[in-house]
Amino acid sequence: MAANRTFSIIKPDATRRNLTGAVTKMLEEAGLRVVASKRIQMSREQAEEFYGVHRERPFFNDLVTFMISGPVVVQVLEGENAVQRNRDIMGATNPANAEPGTIRKELAESIEANSVHGSDSDENAATEIAFFFKPEEIVG
Ligand code: GDP
């Protein structure tokens, strides 16, 4: 399959523990290339819009509050089969269920503070990339 792109967030639990480099190293070792990256403080409005699909879920408010509790690093990752490759190295949503060697198993704190976000489809990747990056900010 041709190289394509996905969207990643290094979440506040990871930036707080100075794990930006550790997470990025695992992404790179999994065959993904960081073609855009910036450290930002998300606003509540931004986080609510980004996680809009989860608005009806019971953890929505907690999730938004967590995502704005500190800086995050938003990234565009490029590689062969990038969406699935990233989901594989991330591991299961709940770190307790994640495979050894995955980012969430090795680094995450809890089902909420699980260190990374990754797009779950090519379509969502394109939407999420456009939410945070202008085309000229992505240099492959
Ligand atoms: P993902 O695609 O693996 O990130 O999982 P989801 O799309 O299902 O959930 C989005 C994010 O919401 C997760 O990464 C967690 O940060 C958070 N989350 C998911 N399930 C729960 C839950 O049961 N409780 C809480 N507090 N947060 C959750």
Side-chain angles (χ1 to χ4, degrees), residues 94-110:
N94 186 346
N97 301 329
E99 294 292 326
T102 62
I103 293 169
R104 284 168 166 169
K105 184 65 169 189
E106 304 305 326
L107 302 177
E109 292 184 320
S110 68

Side-chain angles (χ1 to χ4, degrees), residues 21-80:
V23 171
T24 302
K25 183 167 190 278
M26 292 177 80
L27 295 171
E28 290 178 341
E29 284 175 353
L32 294 159
R33 175 176 291 270
V34 180
V35 296
S37 183
K38 57 186 172 189
R39 185 174 172 106
I40 61 167
Q41 172 66 52
M42 262 201 250
S43 67
R44 181 169 291 276
E45 293 67 33
Q46 245 180 335
E48 284 177 352
E49 189 179 343
F50 182 77
Y51 278 119
V53 292
H54 294 311
R55 202 171 284 275
E56 303 307 323
R57 293 173 82 173
F59 57 82
F60 178 71
N61 282 328
D62 287 345
L63 174 60
V64 167
T65 299
F66 163 64
M67 289 300 290
I68 64 171
S69 68
V72 299
V73 178
V74 291
Q75 295 178 318
V76 181
L77 308 177
E78 196 171 81
E80 208 171 290

